Amino acid sequence: MISVLQLYPFLCLNCALTEEMKEPDDQDPDGGESDRPKSDGRQSQRSSKSEPRSSVKEDHKFLEDTADETFTEGEESYLENDDSYIEHLEGSSSSLQDDYVESTGESRYMESPVPAAKEAEEEVKKKISESCFYDYMELVSMPFVTLDSNIPLDLLTLVHSFGYDCRKRANLQLLDSNTVLYIAGNQLILLNLKTKEQLYLRSSSGRGIGVIGVHPNKTYFTVAEKGVSPKIIIYEYPSLRPYRILRDGTDLGYAYVDFNYDGTLLASVGGSPDHTLTIWNWKEEQPILRTKAFSQEVFKVTFNPEDDEQLTTSGSGHIKFWEMALTFTGLKLQGSLGRFGKTATTDIEGYMELPDGKVLSGSEWGNMLVWEGGLIKVELCRAARKTCHQGPINQIVLDEGEVITIGSDGCVRIWDFETIDTADTIDETGLLEIEPINELQVDKNVKLFSMIKMNEPGSNFWLAQDAGGAIWKLDLSFSNITQDPECLFSFHSGAIEALAVSPLTYLMATTALDCSIRIYDFASKTHLAQMKFKQGGTALAWVPQLVSYTGAQIVVGFEDGVVRILELYDPKGLTVFAGRKKIMDADIRLKQVFKPHTACVTALAYERDGEILATGSKDQTVFFFEVEKDYKPIGYITTPGPVCQLMWSSISHPESTLLIICENGYVLEAPFPTLREEEEDHDVVSYEIKDMDIKCFHFSSVKSKILRLIEIEKRKRQKELREKEKEERRKQLVAEMGEDGEKEFQEKEEEEEEEEPLPQIFIPSTPCRILCGFYSGPGKFWVSLGGYDSGFLYHCEFPPYDKSSDITERKDEPFDFRFLEDTEDNPIQTITFSVNQDMMFCGTQDGAIRVYILSQNDLSLTDMVDYWHFNMHDNNYGCIKSISTSFDDRFLVTTGADSNIFVFNIFSEFELKKGIKAKVPSPRFGIETEPIPEDIEDPKAFSIENARRKREYDKLMKEVEEIKAGKREQLKALRNEFWKLLEMNEELPKHMQFKRTDFDVDSKIRAEIDRKTVYKIHEVEKELAWEKEKHRLGLMKLQNRFRDSLESDMVVVHAIQSDHKISSYRLVKPSKYSRSKRASQSERRASKLERFEKEGAGRKDSQRDTGGSVSVPEESIIEKGKKFRPKTLSEIMVENQIEKTRKLMLKAERAQLKIQQRKKEWEELYKSKPVDDYEDPKDIQAIKEAQLYMGDFNLKTAPDYKIPEHMRINAAKKEEELGHLDSMIHSKKMHMNKCILSLRDLKVAVVEEIQCLVQELKNIQSALHISKHILIPQIPQIHPEEVPEKRFQYDEETLLAFKQQQMKSQDEKAPQVEQTGSTGSSGGFLKLSSGKNGDLTTRDSLSRSSKALTFGLDIPKFLEFEKADPTEVELEIMKRDEIKHLYMQQYLTNRIKELIVTFDAELRLLRHQKLKLDTQMKLSDLHHVTLFQEMLLLKNFEKQENTLQERVNSLDREEQDMQWKINETLKEMEEKKNEITRLQDQEKALYAGFQAALGENNKFANFLMKVLKKKIKRVKKKEVEGDADEDEESDESSEEESSLESDEDESGSEDEVFDDSICPTNCDLGLFELALQLREKRLDIEEALVEEKKAIDNLKKEYDTLSKKVKIVGTNLNAAEEALEAYQREKQQRLNELPVVIPLKLHQIEYVVFGEIPTDLSGTLVFSNRSLGRLQERIVQLQEENSKQQKLNKEYRERRKRLIREKREMAKNISKMEETVRQLMISKFGRVVNLEALQTLSVNTTLEELKIKKLRKELSNAKEMKMWEEKIAHMRWELMMKTKEHTKKLHQMNDLCLEKKKLDSRLNTLQNQQGNAFQHPRKADIVAREKVTGLIQVQAERISALKEEIALLRKKGGLILPPIQPPQENQMKPTGL
């Protein structure tokens, strides 16, 4: 045991080194901000001008207290700033965060550091320039190199990446058609798809990249990183310059980023722990909105393409809908969490926003969920409740109106968008069944994760990310030329478990749990070969050159414990590959396979001389194999823990030993195993090696002791420093104060605090895992541990071997260690050395590579100080699994758990040649003829040890079986002896025989045996119940899949005498095309408008009918009321006049009807007269037919072929045609099958009848002598093929035969067993009982068989009597019977032959018909293929065709609507013009009426006409809804003058003399008022004219606008029709390209060249002979028709001339007759009269009607006069009362006037007395007096006027004229009335 005290000198050396290398950084002038870029939590050395940094510690001053609390368990201690070594060791994680916090303080635009507050202010004030870019080298992370180490920064240069993190979300983006973008650890890789070149961008933080995104315009892409306060860097493409940097968006890493549709906004969501959702104005580097997305992991965030203010996030068990809402506090993000309701909660990976705001998402179980308003509206599934995908839906995309879903089941399915958008629940389950339009199964074992569309015009290609480790190119056009899925790149999926590099060339091999082995040429950057197995690989080693000289073998360990030897070779060297076009560069062949372990193999190692192969496993065993003897097993040893690494000692060691490192802290050293001879090995029961002297080292944690010693040393040094300080202070105090200073110093020393206790020793309860190790010398080794013991490399030494000690109780400690900086929480996972051992390459847990520079062959690591460190793999899950150098130290290869493989170029003074390529080993001689060994694919197969134990067990069991067999033989002998005793007992007399029960020794034994037998049977049934149900379900599934879909199975009917046979058709149920029928254009539904019109017309008719029926009762009621009213004399006079008028009108109507009938006859006569351009309808029809079917027409293949409307085809019509063909084929086959089944039934009946006849023959021949027998015909057999339904019927005999067949199949070869089994099973089918064959028997056969039985019963049985000589009568009877029997024998034989011949004839006839039908069916099948191809092609064209057709229809409807509007406008214009004409007529009538009213020689005519025509301003009439008192005067005047105005209006002479507003003297007042009234009417007419003309102008403008629009729409319609026609032509051309099979015979081909059929028949036409003959006959018919038409033409010309002459003669006769009629009229009437008017003059209908109206009017006027007389009387009485009242008032006024006069006189008297001031009357009194006087006069005049009016009213028929008012009346109006 090595004590820790022995390490004290080394600890002192380490402390001294750390003290020298310390450099505190608390002197930063910027207050903690630094413009030095950080990488991986450490400062990167970029150049020699970089600031110095300590390789051991820096920036850990603030962590001292934290570290002390860790080691002292809460107690405080005082530490100096310079002594922070312990804090550095225990606080590396905190230090890491501190470095990242510092790294975020970099300046954005200025080189000098700026404080954060000032920088934020500048960002607000200053807008970022569009041309502003960052320096990539300033941002990118750089490797860390220790100071003064002279290690170059480019020690390792990335050459190529062979991996792909296929399980990372959205890790495949497309920049252009040839460039893709994906993340590989800390690198961003831009891959050219054509050249396969890679371009790398490094992470800026050094902590990895979270997610990437691409701008919609493909001009920018985002890189969202990981780390403390990570950045989002936006690069410009293709310049790849950093354009913008977004900061402070999350705490530790981004999960997803997405641009909006326009690319102006960027949404980001962070990962754990904050999950922050941020909306960025990324061009200004400013966050707009920020909130917490959810409390669990968020997978994705996207903008709504239709609305940038709506977003959606989804993740673990949730989906959330966001909206940017403007609240009273500002713009905020409001989120609504989706509620699952009855649906199970699920993780949502893929979703899509629909245009109307709904969201379509996937689920874990594969169905789609439609979200609306935060709730699940409907769940979509497939038919029969099948899920849309078998597994989660990872992505949903809307492309070209179709919904595309990508699932983990490797399927891409296309769904109809309209169906999904309008989906709704139909029942309580919430499920809706829909079916995809198309689907694509990419490949087996494919797990699609995401897809992105490629920008290739005219194609529909997508790139797919396969979580199974591939990038696919998919064609989603779904046409007949659709390309198969193409795997562009193939990678490992998941963590790469092992790596091995060739010892001779630049080849490497990798393996992973994805069950693949891959070979790479890392020099030429190519993937050479791969090989797949059933289990994943876990360990890998390249066979050394000592074993395989060419370096062509690889040994691989798998997770099921199997080890396989693989051989790599160049297939170009094989002779069997000669002549092949495509030969791979390398190939892998299985050479040998064995299974040494029962758990996964974790380590493989070859002994230094190549003699031994050691394999380690998690089953705690190490197995040894002898390599020279084809890996013969030597044995295995058990280990105390799972093996994680094996390493053989090097040549420098005196002995060859194996270092075995176990995970649980044990390290073993095993010597070279002893090789056994074959004879010795054969007798060994187990392979376990128990006599091997194995050294063991059980690691015990010493880290706490090391830290304790460091703390002791540090305190010692601190104490020495304090002593020095005390002495200096004491001397200072003594020098200043003397003895008092000494006393004061002693008092202060007493007050000093005591030191804190040292850290306690801590040993973890669970041993830390050993990660890796290596030999440093004989018996010595280094190990790296994880967990608490990480941070150091421990140097250990094996103790001496002690057989008696218990290794589990040992506690061994290392004797030396090396401190590893920054590995406290990031331990070393794997270590390898260069070939010269001057560099040690380490792979860490966070994916970083560390290179230590060593002295050559210094495995003691004495100079392990300087190192190079750089992060490459993912820092979270990219632990480096393997690291290895090439054979010449030029390359370094690393593999990680993040699926990435990086190849580096190691810095060297010698440049590497360009274009180098690894040499693949040539194949061994005869490798192609060697048999491939049988692989071990069963994971439950026995291992080598278990196989040997099984062999021993089988050997033991064989011996036991031999013993059992001997016992069985003894029992068999005893049983035979017992049966003999029973037979002897049977031979004895009955009274001497023993009973059967007497032989039972104990009766209970038999009952117990029976009970046990029943119990065993029951137990077996219970054991086999699961198997029985399993096979029953399997049988049911098979029946559903293969049998239920059949309508009829194939039945083969064989002939009896010949080899002819006929088989029926194997018919399946009708296809979907024959069952379903799509709605085609010809059978479309009536539109809404058409339905509305139909319903509206019907509704109107019904309303009209109901209205009429309702009105009839009302009229009848009124008539009934009138019937009972008494008639007056006037009513009787009116009725008489009406009756008289009615009779006169009836007479006139009869004359008019006669005239109209005559006119109608003339019209019909004129109508029958043909017009000048009249054409015979028969000729028109013949011309149409000629145009359709005659002339030079283009073929369908012509480029200018125009498809007629009735010949256009679509997918629906083609489906109908296909369904019609299917149904026709099905019906014909069904009919033939029925005929064949009838033939089969006939054969069954014939066979049964022959059986009966044969039985009768046998009975007859039994009575005949054998010499007279005729050969009985053989009974025909029913073949199994003729009754296939019996294959599903079985009995016990059939099952026993099947069991025997199964038993034979275990012993014999498979092919032979299948043949014998089929014959055996068929024999079993033929041995069915007669009861099961009852369905094949007929009534005739049953009757015949019954007759045969009765006939057989009538045969006498002569054996019952003793034989006697027959008598003569008997002899005669016997002769007669013999003749009868001979006749019946011959008859029955002929009957049998007749039946056979008849049946064979029927079969041959039906066979001939079936052959013809087969020919037709084959042609139909070919036609079916053609129709199906056409349907697929039409489906591809259907979508675009529907779009074009819809556009044509919409434009057509638009044109019709506009044309309708134009027609309506024209109608309105015509109506307006008619209205204008009517108004003008009214105006003319107005002037004419006024002129008539004026009369002749009226001296005021000019004045009144001017009054009528005067232009005046009128108040514009408006309808005011509010206040009626607010009227606005119109300033508009009539703009147009009347057409009847003359020049006299312009003369103003009369205006100067007369005022037109006042009627002049002597002018008739009625005419003046009439002029005023007519002027108002004229103005109304003029205003109406102006309005109508304005309306006409507006209508003209509208007409012009509509005309222009109609032209535009017509142009667009023509363009759309042309586009549709071009598309139809393209569709026809594509249809023409489809091959159509037409079988032709050689004599039918008439197109020959030099007497031979040409090879190219593309320019030929296929014509039937009938069509060709019809065309030839048509030529003769046309010639005959031509001559016939010429004759007809000549005849018709002559007939035309004759008709013209007759027409002239008729015209002359008509003129003569008209002249005669005219003369007769003059002689009789004196003038020419209208005879029709003369006949209708007998009664003037209008006059009579006016008379009747006059009578009725007089009656009404009389009533009205009576009413008015009553009113006049009433008014007279009221007038009298008013007059009396008025007289009374006058008297009162007179009295008042007299009193007033008196008062005035008195007042005057008083005034005269008072003075001169009041001598004259006041002016106001005079005015008042004058007013009263005037009022009295007016009232008196009115009284007189009223009296005159009363006198006039008393007279009958008197007219009342208005009184003539004096001119003063206008000036002085009464105010009192």
Side-chain angles (χ1 to χ4, degrees), residues 128-183:
I128 302 176
S129 173
E130 292 288 336
S131 60
C132 177
F133 289 91
Y134 293 89
D135 186 3
Y136 173 74
M137 296 307 297
E138 291 290 331
L139 293 174
V140 70
S141 60
M142 301 294 287
F144 168 76
V145 179
T146 53
L147 294 176
D148 302 329
S149 60
N150 296 326
I151 301 176
L153 282 176
D154 56 348
L155 178 64
L156 297 180
T157 304
L158 181 62
V159 176
H160 195 73
S161 171
F162 285 106
Y164 174 57
D165 194 353
C166 57
R167 298 180 182 178
K168 191 177 186 68
R169 193 171 286 106
N171 196 21
L172 182 65
Q173 301 291 339
L174 188 69
L175 289 175
D176 54 39
S177 59
N178 295 325
T179 307
V180 295
L181 185 72
Y182 61 89
I183 303 169

Side-chain angles (χ1 to χ4, degrees), residues 136 479 486 533 642 718 1068 1171 1188 1433 1731 1870:
Y136 173 74
S479 63
E486 178 185 359
F533 294 95
Q718 290 175 356
V1068 296
V1171 295
L1188 287 173
L1433 186 62
L1731 293 177

